[in-house]
Amino acid sequence: MADRVLTGAVRPWMRLPVAARIAVIYLVARLITTGFLLLAASMSTAASRFGPDPGLDDFVLGWDAQWYWLVAENGYPSVLPRTESGEVAENAWAFMPVFAYLAKYVGFGVWGAGAFVVSLTCGYLACLALYRLLRGRIGRSASMWAVTFFAMGPLAALFQVGYAESLFILLLLIALDLVSRRRYGWLYLLIPVMGYTRPGILAFALFLGLHGILRWSQRRRDPLPAREVVHIVALGALATAVGFSWQIIAGVVTGTPDAYLQTELSWRRNWLADPVAQFVPFEGFVQGAEFWFTQWGMPGWVGWIALALLVTATAWVLSQARAVRRLGADLRLWTASYVLYLLAVFFPQSSLFRLLLPLTPLWGAVAVPRSRVYRIGVLVACLVGQWLWILGMYGIAREYWQVP
């Protein structure tokens, strides 16, 4: 009897179009996130960054959303702000223009409303794109679970605040799908938009290079026409040019050649007592590993060992884990490219969790095991993680490390 009732409930659901099923999942997820945000607001105090009794609009406009709003209203400074010691201070050059101006236009000048609509809409479209990307790799059921984990995951609040992540993830998933289907032409339009939405396009340039090498190595059993070679090389060059162009633009406008890099380093100086004066690739993660383990009362060299073990474990998972291998070579190459990019440019702190969002295709590997108990357990873990992230970053955000 129970089986018949369950089957009767499932059949109407399965008859719905995929877009409708994903819409229902996404709507439920957003209602849960809204509930979490309201609960976090009720727990906010005068000691919190948002003060007592903040509204949902305060969260939408909180943290980095303020910088995007500043870009939309005032553009970028032609004179870099300086600290009392003469170093470049935090400024708008760290934030790309596409999301900032798109939110302004969508909101008809009311930036917060536009930012909310853009993030919310792009989040749903990203769910559709994720399903399309994974369906042929892991099957329909697992792909729908991957979408569920994504929509309700620990960082799902980003679908409802003024951050560029939703838009970037949507563009990225479409781009990865185009590469996997070898429809390279659309990427000439997509890459510049991605590049000026948020940092990360250099990781995509590396991915295209690795994709090209893979295609070349397999050309005997998987033909590689000359026109596709041209596309891959040209797109890799375009992504590289777009990735470095923002540094050139910032340098030309401000008259300071390394304006963008110094701007990015200005955030790192908030964490380190003796920060470096110039950007050095991979130094941020090495410094960060030492910094955090020292903060936790351990020798700095323990952090270096932990970092080496983490990198080794990541490499093993990408090359050997069966569930990850089912995603296909291209998605594993993207993951490796983006992880290498983060290691090269980022100083690890609480924002690292948000910066891991471009690894969204890995939800497919998480969704592969078919055990219902396992999948429900993962979903519960996602919701618990989401609540803890919202509580820490928006509800009781008062410590120096509570930065989304």
Side-chain angles (χ1 to χ4, degrees):
M1 173 66 91
D3 288 341
R4 262 186 284 175
V5 171
L6 182 60
T7 302
V10 168
R11 282 177 180 170
W13 168 256
M14 295 304 295
R15 282 198 291 263
L16 287 174
V18 168
R21 278 183 275 155
I22 290 177
V24 171
I25 292 170
Y26 189 70
L27 176 60
V28 171
R30 301 288 61 77
L31 291 174
I32 292 172
T33 298
T34 300
F36 284 162
L37 290 170
L38 290 172
L39 182 57
S42 71
M43 301 174 69
S44 183
T45 67
S48 168
R49 178 183 179 90
F50 292 94
D53 301 318
L56 291 178
D57 57 328
D58 295 311
F59 291 158
V60 171
L61 295 171
W63 295 110
D64 285 357
Q66 290 288 302
W67 286 107
Y68 287 113
W69 170 83
L70 185 65
V71 168
E73 296 299 323
N74 300 318
Y76 294 91
S78 58
V79 177
L80 292 173
R82 301 277 176 173
T83 64
E84 293 182 358
S85 59
E87 297 169 320
V88 174
E90 298 171 357
N91 66 84
W93 281 108
F95 300 89
M96 305 299 179
V98 170
F99 176 78
Y101 289 110
L102 179 61
K104 183 176 181 179
Y105 295 138
V106 169
F108 297 99
V110 182
W111 192 88
F116 174 77
V117 170
V118 171
S119 291
L120 189 68
T121 303
C122 288
Y124 169 65
L125 295 177
C127 289
L128 295 178
L130 179 62
Y131 180 86
R132 176 181 169 86
L133 179 66
L134 296 177
R135 181 184 56 197
R137 304 166 190 266
I138 61 175
R140 296 181 179 183
S141 176
S143 297
M144 193 63 73
W145 276 101
V147 167
T148 302
F149 298 152
F150 173 55
M152 302 190 185
L155 300 174
L158 291 171
F159 300 138
Q160 297 177 222
V161 297
Y163 273 67
E165 265 66 19
S166 287
L167 176 58
F168 183 81
I169 295 303
L170 169 61
L171 298 172
L172 171 65
L173 293 174
I174 294 173
L176 291 173
D177 188 57
L178 289 171
V179 172
S180 68
R181 297 174 188 274
R182 299 167 189 180
R183 298 176 62 180
Y184 299 110
W186 287 104
L187 291 171
Y188 289 99
L189 297 176
L190 207 56
I191 283 174
V193 181
M194 288 172 60
Y196 296 123
T197 296
R198 69 177 295 282
I201 197 62
L202 288 176
F204 197 78
L206 175 59
F207 161 69
L208 286 171
L210 296 175
H211 168 77
I213 293 172
L214 178 65
R215 291 289 313 277
W216 181 261
S217 69
Q218 297 178 343
R219 66 189 184 279
R220 290 186 178 178
R221 62 178 182 273
D222 181 11
L224 179 60
R227 67 178 183 279
E228 292 190 0
V229 174
V230 172
H231 278 312
I232 294 170
V233 172
L235 289 168
L238 175 63
T240 302
V242 170
F244 285 108
S245 66
W246 192 245
Q247 298 181 36
I248 297 172
I249 293 170
V252 170
V253 172
T254 63
T256 304
D258 61 346
Y260 175 72
L261 293 178
Q262 287 299 321
T263 296
E264 291 289 359
L265 287 175
S266 68
W267 267 269
R268 193 177 300 183
R269 296 187 190 105
N270 293 330
W271 299 85
L272 300 175
D274 187 23
V276 296
Q278 301 294 328
F279 171 76
V280 178
F282 299 102
E283 188 172 38
F285 248 92
V286 174
Q287 286 183 318
E290 180 179 0
F291 169 82
W292 284 109
F293 278 81
T294 301
Q295 294 293 306
W296 297 331
M298 289 177 274
W301 57 265
V302 177
W304 301 338
I305 294 175
L307 177 60
L309 291 174
L310 179 62
V311 172
T312 302
T314 301
W316 183 89
V317 168
L318 290 178
S319 62
Q320 302 298 324
R322 183 177 301 177
V324 176
R325 290 177 66 86
R326 281 194 60 180
L327 298 180
D330 273 346
L331 295 188
R332 290 189 290 137
L333 288 177
W334 160 250
T335 301
S337 299
Y338 188 72
V339 169
L340 186 63
Y341 168 80
L342 282 184
L343 289 171
V345 306
F346 192 63
F347 175 85
Q349 32 92 354
S350 56
S351 295
L352 177 62
F353 297 106
R354 173 173 57 84
L355 268 65
L356 291 176
L357 202 59
L359 300 181
T360 288
L362 290 180
W363 280 122
V366 177
V368 164
R370 296 186 177 185
S371 166
R372 182 175 297 175
V373 173
Y374 162 81
R375 286 171 170 173
I376 295 299
V378 172
L379 181 57
V380 170
C382 285
L383 293 174
V384 171
Q386 182 184 161
W387 163 243
L388 293 176
W389 193 80
I390 289 173
L391 178 64
M393 304 303 172
Y394 289 93
I396 56 173
R398 56 177 175 265
E399 300 294 339
Y400 70 96
W401 50 267
Q402 291 174 308
V403 181

